[in-house]
Amino acid sequence: MLEDAVNFTIVLFGANSDLAVRKLYPSLYQLARWGHLPGAYRIIGVSRNDLSHKEYRLQVGEKIRSFSPGTIDDEVHFAAFSGRLFHVKVDLERIEGYYRLQKEIMDVAGEPGVCSHLLFYLSTPPALAPLIVRNLREAGLGGKGMSCTGWRKIIVEKPYGSDLKTAGELNTVIGSVFNEDQIFRIDHYLGKETVQNILVFRFSNGIFEPLWNRHHIAGVEITIAENFGIRDRGAFYEKAGLLRDIIQNHGLQLLASVAMEPPVDLSADAVRDEKAKVLRSIRLVTPETVDRSVVLGQYEGYRREKQVDPGSRTETFAAVRFLVDNWRWKGVPFLIRAGKSLAETVTEIVITFACPPQNFFGPAESCSYTANQVILRIQPEETIAIRFGVKRPGESVITDPVYMRFDYRDSFSQPGMTPYHRLLLDALDGNQMNFIRQDSVEYSWAIIDAIRNCMAGRMPDVYPAGSWGPPEAGGLKGAI
Ligand code: BG6
């Protein structure tokens, strides 16, 4: 339940979008079903379609049933939820629609607070965000200098801009209509239980933190792999590519969570200050270092995907070796590798510790066979493993690696909350800890822009679908 359970309205731009249909409606329905929403709330879907409220309600019901079967487990509850859905037709380029929206928002009788607390959710292509916020301001719906009481917030989906320049421009526009504490830049990875746990794992245990630095850690490897291609997102991928789709946000946020200093407290800004400092410390790739730091790939068959240029040079795989130039991490490689159409779907972070100074035991070649590791598996399994060496039973004294493993499923009953459940509740509650602040967005873009500039015009290495990407990526591991 929201801490301060005030009634509110969510205005969903992109009422028909894939995200709305697959994630937002099911999450909102479930939050209502589980009793997390207040007595009165409204969800106003905005699209260019001419739909009555009734038609929209039917449509949302159908979509939830077809995309998330089993979600609607109680028709009475669903009918109550459905009655809170409304639709407004808006041609995003024309101001009239926004005035209609304003009227619909204000048009509530006997439900205090519903029209004074507003959350705008932009589930729309990124390029439309400036237009929408300008028109919201024009229609008196902006967050800055509003005359009535109540809160106004805006959630903006990733990608936030497409490079440093556009992210800055976007912020100037949004920042002229909403204050920073009203802007929620969403990266759904930050709503994952196992990602939120990184902070807790690191800072609630005494045994790891003293070792969590360049003196004891040889390297960190972050993998975000998917065993499927770009599906029907050819048009988006051609513009984005994997560096912008995954590394700029999910990848660098994971890195920041592993590398950050302890925050002074658990306030949103204290945590985000530390993450921003890590991103700011990442050394930018240069033409001199790019070849030993970056491998880009494209899966075989990508050029035959729908809406993809047959001569496309877009990357669907990236492996990047980052260095974090600060006292804690100087010289420790952080490898992020992510890709589409790889051998497996898995996200994990492997922290490999330095070898003992002398290795007495076989196999003697290298200790990397048994080097201690902490393995944070983000998904699909939600586990933490610690690797260490033990004597292989038998006459010879040989070390073998073994694992001590914790699995969320064994220790906790699943609460069923997904990232969108959590982040919607956080946004309604006004908690920005797991939303990205503008400075972090910009540091991350600077990192990605540097890579993209150095790689401009190059054809990524083609790799077979179902493999682990171009073999050259293995060469980036270095000391890890
Ligand atoms: C999205 C990317 O942000 O994250 C997709 O745009 C990717 O390309 C997805 O597939 C992965 O998220 P999850 O939570 O399904 O691992």
PDB file of all heavy atoms in Angstrom, residues 180-199:
ATOM      1  N   GLU A 180      13.021  18.662 -11.179  1.00  0.00           N
ATOM      2  CA  GLU A 180      13.739  17.374 -11.154  1.00  0.00           C
ATOM      3  C   GLU A 180      13.048  16.374 -10.202  1.00  0.00           C
ATOM      4  O   GLU A 180      12.975  15.183 -10.496  1.00  0.00           O
ATOM      5  CB  GLU A 180      15.206  17.611 -10.746  1.00  0.00           C
ATOM      6  CG  GLU A 180      16.087  16.363 -10.696  1.00  0.00           C
ATOM      7  CD  GLU A 180      16.271  15.608 -12.024  1.00  0.00           C
ATOM      8  OE1 GLU A 180      16.271  16.247 -13.097  1.00  0.00           O
ATOM      9  OE2 GLU A 180      16.410  14.360 -11.983  1.00  0.00           O
ATOM     10  N   ASP A 181      12.510  16.856  -9.073  1.00  0.00           N
ATOM     11  CA  ASP A 181      11.895  15.884  -8.158  1.00  0.00           C
ATOM     12  C   ASP A 181      10.523  15.407  -8.644  1.00  0.00           C
ATOM     13  O   ASP A 181       9.870  14.593  -8.002  1.00  0.00           O
ATOM     14  CB  ASP A 181      11.809  16.437  -6.725  1.00  0.00           C
ATOM     15  CG  ASP A 181      10.902  17.657  -6.632  1.00  0.00           C
ATOM     16  OD1 ASP A 181      10.316  18.075  -7.657  1.00  0.00           O
ATOM     17  OD2 ASP A 181      10.774  18.209  -5.518  1.00  0.00           O
ATOM     18  N   GLN A 182      10.104  15.914  -9.815  1.00  0.00           N
ATOM     19  CA  GLN A 182       8.850  15.421 -10.404  1.00  0.00           C
ATOM     20  C   GLN A 182       9.124  14.508 -11.600  1.00  0.00           C
ATOM     21  O   GLN A 182       8.202  13.981 -12.206  1.00  0.00           O
ATOM     22  CB  GLN A 182       8.008  16.607 -10.879  1.00  0.00           C
ATOM     23  CG  GLN A 182       7.613  17.562  -9.751  1.00  0.00           C
ATOM     24  CD  GLN A 182       6.953  18.825 -10.289  1.00  0.00           C
ATOM     25  OE1 GLN A 182       7.399  19.399 -11.278  1.00  0.00           O
ATOM     26  NE2 GLN A 182       5.897  19.250  -9.621  1.00  0.00           N
ATOM     27  N   ILE A 183      10.427  14.367 -11.960  1.00  0.00           N
ATOM     28  CA  ILE A 183      10.760  13.609 -13.172  1.00  0.00           C
ATOM     29  C   ILE A 183      11.295  12.232 -12.793  1.00  0.00           C
ATOM     30  O   ILE A 183      12.279  12.116 -12.055  1.00  0.00           O
ATOM     31  CB  ILE A 183      11.821  14.361 -14.022  1.00  0.00           C
ATOM     32  CG1 ILE A 183      11.352  15.795 -14.309  1.00  0.00           C
ATOM     33  CG2 ILE A 183      12.098  13.607 -15.319  1.00  0.00           C
ATOM     34  CD1 ILE A 183      12.404  16.663 -14.992  1.00  0.00           C
ATOM     35  N   PHE A 184      10.666  11.202 -13.312  1.00  0.00           N
ATOM     36  CA  PHE A 184      11.038   9.827 -13.002  1.00  0.00           C
ATOM     37  C   PHE A 184      11.500   9.142 -14.284  1.00  0.00           C
ATOM     38  O   PHE A 184      10.687   8.724 -15.100  1.00  0.00           O
ATOM     39  CB  PHE A 184       9.844   9.078 -12.385  1.00  0.00           C
ATOM     40  CG  PHE A 184       9.491   9.591 -11.015  1.00  0.00           C
ATOM     41  CD1 PHE A 184       8.861  10.819 -10.850  1.00  0.00           C
ATOM     42  CD2 PHE A 184       9.821   8.859  -9.887  1.00  0.00           C
ATOM     43  CE1 PHE A 184       8.567  11.307  -9.591  1.00  0.00           C
ATOM     44  CE2 PHE A 184       9.535   9.331  -8.618  1.00  0.00           C
ATOM     45  CZ  PHE A 184       8.907  10.559  -8.471  1.00  0.00           C
ATOM     46  N   ARG A 185      12.838   9.065 -14.472  1.00  0.00           N
ATOM     47  CA  ARG A 185      13.385   8.410 -15.685  1.00  0.00           C
ATOM     48  C   ARG A 185      13.518   6.936 -15.362  1.00  0.00           C
ATOM     49  O   ARG A 185      14.312   6.549 -14.511  1.00  0.00           O
ATOM     50  CB  ARG A 185      14.744   9.008 -16.053  1.00  0.00           C
ATOM     51  CG  ARG A 185      14.675  10.485 -16.350  1.00  0.00           C
ATOM     52  CD  ARG A 185      16.050  11.070 -16.616  1.00  0.00           C
ATOM     53  NE  ARG A 185      15.973  12.519 -16.569  1.00  0.00           N
ATOM     54  CZ  ARG A 185      16.008  13.236 -15.450  1.00  0.00           C
ATOM     55  NH1 ARG A 185      16.140  12.635 -14.267  1.00  0.00           N
ATOM     56  NH2 ARG A 185      15.918  14.539 -15.496  1.00  0.00           N
ATOM     57  N   ILE A 186      12.741   6.140 -16.053  1.00  0.00           N
ATOM     58  CA  ILE A 186      12.629   4.744 -15.642  1.00  0.00           C
ATOM     59  C   ILE A 186      13.633   3.861 -16.377  1.00  0.00           C
ATOM     60  O   ILE A 186      13.874   4.038 -17.565  1.00  0.00           O
ATOM     61  CB  ILE A 186      11.171   4.260 -15.878  1.00  0.00           C
ATOM     62  CG1 ILE A 186      10.820   3.083 -15.002  1.00  0.00           C
ATOM     63  CG2 ILE A 186      10.909   3.912 -17.313  1.00  0.00           C
ATOM     64  CD1 ILE A 186       9.312   2.802 -14.951  1.00  0.00           C
ATOM     65  N   ASP A 187      14.264   2.968 -15.637  1.00  0.00           N
ATOM     66  CA  ASP A 187      15.045   1.874 -16.202  1.00  0.00           C
ATOM     67  C   ASP A 187      14.550   0.661 -15.429  1.00  0.00           C
ATOM     68  O   ASP A 187      14.851   0.514 -14.238  1.00  0.00           O
ATOM     69  CB  ASP A 187      16.539   2.109 -15.931  1.00  0.00           C
ATOM     70  CG  ASP A 187      17.387   0.923 -16.364  1.00  0.00           C
ATOM     71  OD1 ASP A 187      16.845  -0.195 -16.480  1.00  0.00           O
ATOM     72  OD2 ASP A 187      18.600   1.097 -16.562  1.00  0.00           O
ATOM     73  N   HIS A 188      13.766  -0.197 -16.086  1.00  0.00           N
ATOM     74  CA  HIS A 188      13.057  -1.220 -15.315  1.00  0.00           C
ATOM     75  C   HIS A 188      14.010  -2.180 -14.600  1.00  0.00           C
ATOM     76  O   HIS A 188      13.628  -2.834 -13.640  1.00  0.00           O
ATOM     77  CB  HIS A 188      12.056  -1.974 -16.194  1.00  0.00           C
ATOM     78  CG  HIS A 188      12.690  -2.981 -17.100  1.00  0.00           C
ATOM     79  ND1 HIS A 188      13.296  -2.649 -18.282  1.00  0.00           N
ATOM     80  CD2 HIS A 188      12.841  -4.319 -16.978  1.00  0.00           C
ATOM     81  CE1 HIS A 188      13.776  -3.741 -18.852  1.00  0.00           C
ATOM     82  NE2 HIS A 188      13.516  -4.769 -18.095  1.00  0.00           N
ATOM     83  N   TYR A 189      15.288  -2.225 -15.035  1.00  0.00           N
ATOM     84  CA  TYR A 189      16.243  -3.082 -14.332  1.00  0.00           C
ATOM     85  C   TYR A 189      16.346  -2.698 -12.855  1.00  0.00           C
ATOM     86  O   TYR A 189      16.560  -3.537 -12.003  1.00  0.00           O
ATOM     87  CB  TYR A 189      17.624  -2.975 -14.997  1.00  0.00           C
ATOM     88  CG  TYR A 189      17.970  -4.219 -15.782  1.00  0.00           C
ATOM     89  CD1 TYR A 189      17.177  -4.618 -16.860  1.00  0.00           C
ATOM     90  CD2 TYR A 189      19.069  -5.003 -15.453  1.00  0.00           C
ATOM     91  CE1 TYR A 189      17.476  -5.763 -17.572  1.00  0.00           C
ATOM     92  CE2 TYR A 189      19.374  -6.151 -16.162  1.00  0.00           C
ATOM     93  CZ  TYR A 189      18.581  -6.530 -17.215  1.00  0.00           C
ATOM     94  OH  TYR A 189      18.871  -7.668 -17.906  1.00  0.00           O
ATOM     95  N   LEU A 190      16.175  -1.412 -12.579  1.00  0.00           N
ATOM     96  CA  LEU A 190      16.316  -0.959 -11.197  1.00  0.00           C
ATOM     97  C   LEU A 190      15.124  -1.364 -10.328  1.00  0.00           C
ATOM     98  O   LEU A 190      15.124  -1.145  -9.123  1.00  0.00           O
ATOM     99  CB  LEU A 190      16.525   0.558 -11.141  1.00  0.00           C
ATOM    100  CG  LEU A 190      17.766   1.064 -11.863  1.00  0.00           C
ATOM    101  CD1 LEU A 190      17.987   2.537 -11.584  1.00  0.00           C
ATOM    102  CD2 LEU A 190      18.997   0.282 -11.445  1.00  0.00           C
ATOM    103  N   GLY A 191      14.106  -1.936 -10.973  1.00  0.00           N
ATOM    104  CA  GLY A 191      12.974  -2.438 -10.201  1.00  0.00           C
ATOM    105  C   GLY A 191      13.090  -3.937  -9.944  1.00  0.00           C
ATOM    106  O   GLY A 191      12.228  -4.524  -9.286  1.00  0.00           O
ATOM    107  N   LYS A 192      14.132  -4.557 -10.435  1.00  0.00           N
ATOM    108  CA  LYS A 192      14.277  -6.004 -10.230  1.00  0.00           C
ATOM    109  C   LYS A 192      14.760  -6.260  -8.800  1.00  0.00           C
ATOM    110  O   LYS A 192      15.671  -5.583  -8.318  1.00  0.00           O
ATOM    111  CB  LYS A 192      15.278  -6.604 -11.230  1.00  0.00           C
ATOM    112  CG  LYS A 192      14.749  -6.635 -12.677  1.00  0.00           C
ATOM    113  CD  LYS A 192      15.744  -7.292 -13.617  1.00  0.00           C
ATOM    114  CE  LYS A 192      15.378  -7.072 -15.075  1.00  0.00           C
ATOM    115  NZ  LYS A 192      14.379  -7.973 -15.594  1.00  0.00           N
ATOM    116  N   GLU A 193      14.150  -7.272  -8.187  1.00  0.00           N
ATOM    117  CA  GLU A 193      14.520  -7.615  -6.803  1.00  0.00           C
ATOM    118  C   GLU A 193      16.019  -7.843  -6.670  1.00  0.00           C
ATOM    119  O   GLU A 193      16.677  -7.343  -5.756  1.00  0.00           O
ATOM    120  CB  GLU A 193      13.770  -8.897  -6.412  1.00  0.00           C
ATOM    121  CG  GLU A 193      13.836  -9.241  -4.954  1.00  0.00           C
ATOM    122  CD  GLU A 193      12.985  -8.298  -4.113  1.00  0.00           C
ATOM    123  OE1 GLU A 193      11.759  -8.445  -4.087  1.00  0.00           O
ATOM    124  OE2 GLU A 193      13.580  -7.399  -3.495  1.00  0.00           O
ATOM    125  N   THR A 194      16.578  -8.617  -7.614  1.00  0.00           N
ATOM    126  CA  THR A 194      17.980  -8.997  -7.507  1.00  0.00           C
ATOM    127  C   THR A 194      18.912  -7.809  -7.759  1.00  0.00           C
ATOM    128  O   THR A 194      20.047  -7.814  -7.307  1.00  0.00           O
ATOM    129  CB  THR A 194      18.296 -10.116  -8.513  1.00  0.00           C
ATOM    130  OG1 THR A 194      17.633  -9.796  -9.744  1.00  0.00           O
ATOM    131  CG2 THR A 194      17.846 -11.463  -8.018  1.00  0.00           C
ATOM    132  N   VAL A 195      18.429  -6.808  -8.485  1.00  0.00           N
ATOM    133  CA  VAL A 195      19.258  -5.618  -8.696  1.00  0.00           C
ATOM    134  C   VAL A 195      19.202  -4.750  -7.434  1.00  0.00           C
ATOM    135  O   VAL A 195      20.223  -4.255  -6.947  1.00  0.00           O
ATOM    136  CB  VAL A 195      18.793  -4.846  -9.952  1.00  0.00           C
ATOM    137  CG1 VAL A 195      19.559  -3.539 -10.090  1.00  0.00           C
ATOM    138  CG2 VAL A 195      18.983  -5.708 -11.197  1.00  0.00           C
ATOM    139  N   GLN A 196      18.015  -4.620  -6.868  1.00  0.00           N
ATOM    140  CA  GLN A 196      17.897  -3.856  -5.622  1.00  0.00           C
ATOM    141  C   GLN A 196      18.700  -4.523  -4.511  1.00  0.00           C
ATOM    142  O   GLN A 196      19.217  -3.873  -3.603  1.00  0.00           O
ATOM    143  CB  GLN A 196      16.427  -3.717  -5.232  1.00  0.00           C
ATOM    144  CG  GLN A 196      15.644  -2.944  -6.280  1.00  0.00           C
ATOM    145  CD  GLN A 196      14.230  -2.582  -5.866  1.00  0.00           C
ATOM    146  OE1 GLN A 196      13.712  -3.069  -4.870  1.00  0.00           O
ATOM    147  NE2 GLN A 196      13.591  -1.740  -6.657  1.00  0.00           N
ATOM    148  N   ASN A 197      18.837  -5.834  -4.622  1.00  0.00           N
ATOM    149  CA  ASN A 197      19.566  -6.557  -3.587  1.00  0.00           C
ATOM    150  C   ASN A 197      21.074  -6.274  -3.597  1.00  0.00           C
ATOM    151  O   ASN A 197      21.750  -6.498  -2.603  1.00  0.00           O
ATOM    152  CB  ASN A 197      19.330  -8.066  -3.735  1.00  0.00           C
ATOM    153  CG  ASN A 197      20.033  -8.844  -2.656  1.00  0.00           C
ATOM    154  OD1 ASN A 197      19.899  -8.531  -1.471  1.00  0.00           O
ATOM    155  ND2 ASN A 197      20.834  -9.824  -3.039  1.00  0.00           N
ATOM    156  N   ILE A 198      21.606  -5.776  -4.708  1.00  0.00           N
ATOM    157  CA  ILE A 198      23.067  -5.562  -4.766  1.00  0.00           C
ATOM    158  C   ILE A 198      23.493  -4.621  -3.636  1.00  0.00           C
ATOM    159  O   ILE A 198      24.469  -4.848  -2.930  1.00  0.00           O
ATOM    160  CB  ILE A 198      23.494  -4.998  -6.145  1.00  0.00           C
ATOM    161  CG1 ILE A 198      23.142  -5.999  -7.248  1.00  0.00           C
ATOM    162  CG2 ILE A 198      24.995  -4.696  -6.161  1.00  0.00           C
ATOM    163  CD1 ILE A 198      23.357  -5.454  -8.666  1.00  0.00           C
ATOM    164  N   LEU A 199      22.716  -3.572  -3.464  1.00  0.00           N
ATOM    165  CA  LEU A 199      23.021  -2.589  -2.420  1.00  0.00           C
ATOM    166  C   LEU A 199      22.964  -3.246  -1.034  1.00  0.00           C
ATOM    167  O   LEU A 199      23.840  -3.049  -0.189  1.00  0.00           O
ATOM    168  CB  LEU A 199      21.975  -1.465  -2.522  1.00  0.00           C
ATOM    169  CG  LEU A 199      22.192  -0.206  -1.745  1.00  0.00           C
ATOM    170  CD1 LEU A 199      23.227   0.647  -2.455  1.00  0.00           C
ATOM    171  CD2 LEU A 199      20.879   0.601  -1.666  1.00  0.00           C
TER     172      LEU A 199
END
